[in-house]
Amino acid sequence: MRQLLPQVSIVRGKLTSSGHFTTPELEEAWRSAEVMVHGSAADVENRHAEFQHWSRTTGKPHGYAGVTVDPVCPPTWGTLAELQAMAEFLPSSFHSEEAREPLNSAEFIFCRDSISLNYLRRQQIKAASLEFGPDGTFSYGDADLATIDPFLKEMDLSSDSFACFVPRLRYAPYAQMRGEEPTSESLRRDAINAATSQADLGPLVAAIVTWVRQTQSPAAVVPEMSYAPAYAREHLLPLLPPDVAPQVRVLDRFWSLAEASAVYSVSRAVISMECHSPIIASAHAVPTVYLRQPTETVKGRMYHDLGGSDMLIEISLGAKRAAAETVTSIIDDPQRWSDTSARVNAVARSRLRQMASTILYGESVAPYEPALACDQLEVHDEECQFATASEAAAPHRRSPSDGLSSTAASGRVWPGGQPVPGQ
């Protein structure tokens, strides 16, 4: 963030339960900021106290940019279709009053998936604007190109000759990663991981085997979270057949987002059990697929909402065959998959521009119809804009001159952290 946006201040600290700040830097930021924005995440309820305190002590606007509000997962799990059916079954009074307060008083809520959006609408959340808005990660297009050659040398690869594969457990082992004492809940999740790990890796293994055997090219196993290298060594490699294993390289360290983006840009495909690596790959029009585990929230619906239904495979019955067939399709017709990846990213970025105008200036945003995403997108001179009948002008709730500090108003920023194109 500091490298991309050196003008943005990053402060550390916490708001205590008694309403005090643990650092003067956070207190000053709290006092001087003009709007409070929750970035892309699926745990908005964990920040309700901060948003309630913001509203009560400042009277300034707040909102949510690219979030998931999943009423059933966790602890329940299932396919996206199953989770959608569960969410639709819930009564309109299901969302608790405590959880409603910061949502009802929000100036804007952008849900990154249509299941969350429809759930909040059925719950009659009264935010001034409640619309679809993609995950902020789609705005990330930076890449540390200087890391490519060292990575290729480290992994004994050549550019554009390999595909990347990203493993994942159902639940990240946060206690282990942070060196903390495990709680009963983390132990419960560890037990689920132990029982499901091998079966869940099956579709990823099928994808790797298909790639290596059909292309005679190597597969790079890379992390999205820091536990992944050791996990891949211990659990993924033993599942590979003898003729495939020599062509599989595991990156034995964690890496930066900028390096991952750079490496993805020179790979031929990215097949990931993590949700965000395909988003990063889409910025480079790289063929990519998300293998979704059933314990993941409904955020995965975002791919369908953006016109990329083919980019998601549910890890359930038949997933190994689906993964192998999809990799074969990528090998046989890489241009089609590249076009899909690029188009999904373009749709997302176009919508993010509209989100930024709402967040920064209070401008109204056109309703978005996920099923019509590709039809709504018009490309003119490489500029993507949404063309909807409802883009009528509406009164601004905030303007560049009176709603934000001069620094923020003069340097527009996407929710994901990149300058808005053309600014």
Side-chain angles (χ1 to χ4, degrees):
M1 179 69 79
R2 287 192 177 96
Q3 292 176 341
L4 290 174
L5 298 167
Q7 74 275 25
V8 173
S9 298
I10 299 175
V11 300
R12 298 185 182 277
K14 294 181 180 180
L15 176 69
T16 67
S17 58
S18 59
H20 293 93
F21 301 97
T22 59
T23 65
E25 294 82 7
L26 177 58
E27 184 172 12
E28 171 58 22
W30 192 277
R31 183 197 63 79
S32 61
E34 295 292 339
V35 60
M36 187 172 183
V37 183
H38 192 302
S40 294
D43 56 354
V44 296
E45 69 279 358
N46 293 339
R47 292 290 178 262
H48 282 342
E50 287 95 329
F51 278 82
Q52 289 171 335
H53 188 75
W54 169 267
S55 295
R56 294 167 182 170
T57 60
T58 71
K60 297 175 184 178
H62 70 274
Y64 302 80
V67 298
T68 287
V69 181
D70 190 330
V72 292
C73 179
T76 306
W77 66 55
T79 65
L80 288 171
E82 291 168 341
L83 295 177
Q84 178 179 350
M86 295 178 205
E88 291 175 349
F89 179 81
L90 297 172
S92 60
S93 59
F94 181 79
H95 217 66
S96 71
E97 288 302 318
E98 181 183 6
R100 285 174 184 270
E101 181 183 343
L103 299 177
N104 281 333
S105 59
E107 183 172 300
F108 52 86
I109 301 175
F110 289 103
C111 295
R112 61 183 171 177
D113 64 89
S114 57
I115 297 177
S116 293
L117 177 61
N118 291 331
Y119 167 72
L120 291 183
R121 286 177 172 169
R122 286 192 300 272
Q123 295 298 305
Q124 301 174 12
I125 295 301
K126 298 178 175 62
S129 178
L130 177 55
E131 296 289 348
F132 173 81
D135 191 300
T137 309
F138 279 104
S139 69
Y140 186 84
D142 188 50
D144 186 355
L145 302 181
T147 65
I148 294 175
D149 285 343
F151 171 86
L152 296 176
K153 183 177 181 181
E154 177 183 358
M155 299 285 282
D156 191 22
L157 301 169
S158 57
S159 180
D160 200 33
S161 71
F162 64 96
C164 290
F165 299 84
V166 184
R168 188 185 188 279
L169 287 163
R170 290 200 176 188
Y171 295 106
Y174 287 115
Q176 173 189 326
M177 293 163 62
R178 297 166 179 167
E180 300 172 348
E181 284 295 316
T183 63
S184 58
E185 174 60 17
S186 66
L187 290 172
R188 183 186 73 86
R189 295 185 174 200
D190 289 344
I192 293 172
N193 286 339
T196 59
S197 173
Q198 182 168 334
D200 280 4
L201 285 172
L204 190 69
V205 169
I208 292 172
V209 169
T210 302
W211 173 262
V212 170
R213 286 178 175 170
Q214 292 193 19
T215 67
Q216 296 300 304
S217 298
V221 178
V222 295
E224 190 171 306
M225 298 192 74
S226 60
Y227 72 85
Y231 172 61
R233 283 285 180 195
E234 184 176 351
H235 295 279
L236 175 62
L237 291 186
L239 300 178
L240 298 172
D243 65 309
V244 171
Q247 283 281 63
V248 178
R249 285 86 150 139
V250 175
L251 183 63
D252 281 325
R253 58 177 173 82
F254 195 53
W255 55 354
S256 70
L257 175 58
E259 181 181 6
S261 179
V263 169
Y264 290 164
S265 75
V266 296
S267 69
R268 290 172 60 186
V270 174
I271 313 299
S272 174
M273 294 174 69
E274 293 277 6
C275 188
H276 289 87
S277 284
I279 297 177
I280 299 166
S282 73
H284 307 289
V286 172
T288 186
V289 174
Y290 169 40
L291 305 177
R292 179 189 174 274
Q293 292 165 295
T295 45
E296 285 289 88
T297 68
V298 295
K299 64 185 177 183
R301 177 55 62 87
M302 73 174 92
Y303 288 101
H304 169 79
D305 295 335
L306 294 167
S309 297
D310 290 350
M311 294 169 64
L312 184 143
I313 296 173
E314 299 272 15
I315 295 183
S316 58
L317 187 64
K320 289 194 286 188
R321 178 178 178 179
E325 290 176 347
T326 297
V327 170
T328 297
S329 177
I330 290 173
I331 295 168
D332 292 343
D333 192 359
Q335 188 60 55
R336 179 178 78 82
W337 284 89
S338 177
D339 291 345
T340 298
S341 179
R343 191 170 186 82
V344 163
N345 190 273
V347 172
R349 286 180 178 239
S350 179
R351 188 64 172 179
L352 284 167
R353 293 187 183 94
Q354 295 187 30
M355 288 170 59
S357 294
T358 296
I359 293 168
L360 296 180
Y361 308 140
E363 296 179 1
S364 62
V365 63
Y368 177 85
E369 296 295 335
L372 303 176
C374 292
D375 295 333
Q376 288 179 322
L377 188 68
E378 293 184 350
V379 181
H380 300 293
D381 298 326
E382 299 183 353
E383 285 293 327
C384 300
Q385 298 178 341
F386 276 90
T388 65
S390 53
E391 281 192 59
H396 291 198
R397 290 188 298 277
R398 189 163 59 241
S399 70
S401 60
D402 64 17
L404 293 173
S405 66
S406 58
T407 300
S410 63
R412 300 193 205 175
V413 177
W414 275 341
Q418 295 251 110
V420 177
Q423 300 301 317

